[in-house]
Each structure stands twice: as structure tokens, then as C-alpha cells.
Amino acid sequence: MNQSLTPGNPVELAKGVRRLLAPNAGLMTGPGTNTYLFGNAEVAVLDPGPASSRHIDAIRQAAPGPIRWILVTHTHPDHSPGASVLAAATGAELLGQPPPRGRVQDQTFKPDRILTDGDVLETGEFLLRAVHTPGHASNHVCYRHEATRWLFTGDHIMNGSTVVIDPPDGNMKHYLESLQKLKGLELAALAPGHGPLIENPGETIDWLIGHRLKREAKVVASMRDHPDLTLRDLTPFVYDEVDRKLHHLAERSLLAHLVKLENEGNATREDEKWRLVSREK
Ligand SMILES: [Zn+2]
């Protein structure tokens, strides 16, 4: 087993870049949430994870210097609730985007500084640049670490599974655009919010885009074969290779595909039944 993916065991992945796994392994979190620490003399913490006192203690122990900044990629419950707790304990500044409305958003996250695309956190030891990547969540931000050219991807890209796009805050069109946007950055690796480092960023991003477009093609084919089905009834056709126990999650991503097709004028719904827009005159 990769010893680096053990909770409470910080690993220095590169000079002044450490990863610490939160003890929240699960269906949606894989081995757990990765918390990253940057710097030695003064430390920035990225995604402190859930408000687990065990993990907050581990972060404070892993930090080689005082924690001055806390950044989050987005405000889902496995990424940001530890932020306000850690800020209260350390006086660190909170950076990121505020939570949108919604039941799965951590409303305790109140940034002192709102980061928009291109904003930087620069110290004598490191520079992190915010890359706004809506799709998985509308307020999702990735961070590019200048010295390593690594992109800290949160839930925009995970290692080990594709991410759930859950409308209305999740948006498939934006997700694909945000993947495309990464291709313009010069990246040496992807450091995901879940799972180990991804060392072939270009290939991975291309695969993810292709995977979503292939799924979209399957959605269109399934709708052609089975018009006027509800979301629930359409799911087994589109995700026939996926374990039925996971269909409630697949259903959310299918809805994201359908909304994308609808917004592009290629699908309509009536009484929650979906059909393709006919191109024949
Ligand atoms: Zn998330």
C-alpha cells in the first residue's frame, strides 16, 4: 500500500509541498480528502477537509511553521468545513470563493479574501495562482503552484474516479469548458483532492473530455432508442455498465448531460420526460 495515503501521515511531495490525508475515506471521497500544505517559514493550507478535530490537530502538527493562510477549492462538506475551525485556532486568513446556495454547501466558509481567476497568493517561498474551474461546483477554484507547475485540482479532477456533476450547481457545459481551459496551462502534474498525484496531466485531461463526450453520445443514442423517458427510467440505458447501486449518483450526472443538451437546443422535457429535438423538417 502506498504509505502516503494514510491519514495523519504527512508526506513531502516536493520542496515545501506536503500532503496530509484526512480520515474520511468513503464512496464519494475515495481514500479521503487530501489536505496540502505549502511553505516552511509560513504555511498555507489547502482544503482542510471536514471539521474533524483529529485532522485539524494533524494539520497543525504537520505544518513546519505558523499557518497564515487557508485556501479552499470549493465548499463541499469534505473540503472546507475544517477551514473556519483551523482559522479560529490559528488566526489564518481564509481565501477562496463563498459558498453558493444549496444543501451540500458548507455555509460556515466565509472568505476574508475572495479569489477570482488569476489572483495569486505569493510569499517568499511559493506562488499559487487561482484558476476558476466551475463545473463540479460553481465556486470551484484550482491552484497552480509556480515552482513545480503542479495544478491542485480539488474535485475538478480526482484520481481513481470521475467526478459527479450534480445540477443545479454542477454544470456539465461549464465542466467541459473548465477542462479545456487547463490545456492552456503548462502543467507537470495534477495534485487532486482525492487520490495520488497524476503525472500525465495532458493525457488525463484529454481522456476526461473524451469520456464525457462519449457519455453524451450514449445519452443521445439512448434517447433516440427510448424517447419520452424520465431521468430515472433513462439512467439504466445510459449507465448499463455501472453497478445499479451507484445509479442514484449516475442519475445526477445524466441530468447534467440532459441539461447541457437542453441548453444547447438539442433536447426538451415535458412532464419530466425527455426527448431529442428533431432535426427533420
Ligand atoms: Zn466536491
Side-chain angles (χ1 to χ4, degrees), residues 65-191:
I67 296 171
R68 300 282 191 224
W69 308 274
I70 301 164
L71 305 107
V72 304
T73 55
H74 64 304
T75 46
H76 282 161
D78 53 329
H79 288 259
S80 68
S84 54
V85 181
L86 187 59
T90 59
E93 188 185 13
L94 292 173
L95 295 90
Q97 296 204 351
R101 266 196 266 266
R103 64 199 152 83
V104 291
Q105 297 291 343
D106 164 30
Q107 299 297 338
T108 69
F109 182 73
K110 295 183 170 62
D112 300 304
R113 209 195 309 176
I114 294 173
L115 296 178
T116 55
D117 192 56
D119 284 351
V120 298
L121 172 64
E122 186 172 15
T123 76
E125 295 181 291
F126 61 86
L127 188 152
L128 291 168
R129 187 180 301 277
V131 184
H132 185 216
T133 46
H136 171 73
S138 60
N139 67 341
H140 197 289
V141 177
C142 295
Y143 297 91
R144 186 181 185 275
H145 181 258
E146 178 135 294
T148 55
R149 294 187 288 120
W150 291 1
L151 188 75
F152 292 79
T153 60
D155 281 357
H156 185 47
I157 298 175
M158 292 183 191
N159 194 345
S161 69
T162 57
V163 306
V164 173
I165 309 295
D166 188 4
D169 191 56
N171 182 303
M172 189 63 78
K173 187 171 190 309
H174 295 168
Y175 183 68
L176 283 163
E177 288 164 359
S178 291
L179 285 173
Q180 201 68 42
K181 179 178 180 176
L182 301 187
K183 295 179 71 175
L185 309 175
E186 202 190 308
L187 300 175
L190 306 172

Side-chain angles (χ1 to χ4, degrees), residues 197-236:
L197 210 64
I198 298 167
E199 294 183 271
N200 55 346
E203 242 175 278
T204 300
I205 293 162
D206 283 342
W207 185 88
L208 287 171
I209 293 170
H211 176 76
R212 297 291 179 167
L213 293 179
K214 242 186 258 171
R215 184 68 71 184
E216 183 175 298
K218 198 164 170 188
V219 173
V220 170
S222 302
M223 291 171 84
R224 191 173 292 133
D225 294 346
H226 311 279
D228 297 317
L229 290 187
T230 62
L231 175 64
R232 183 143 303 165
D233 292 339
L234 192 58
T235 303

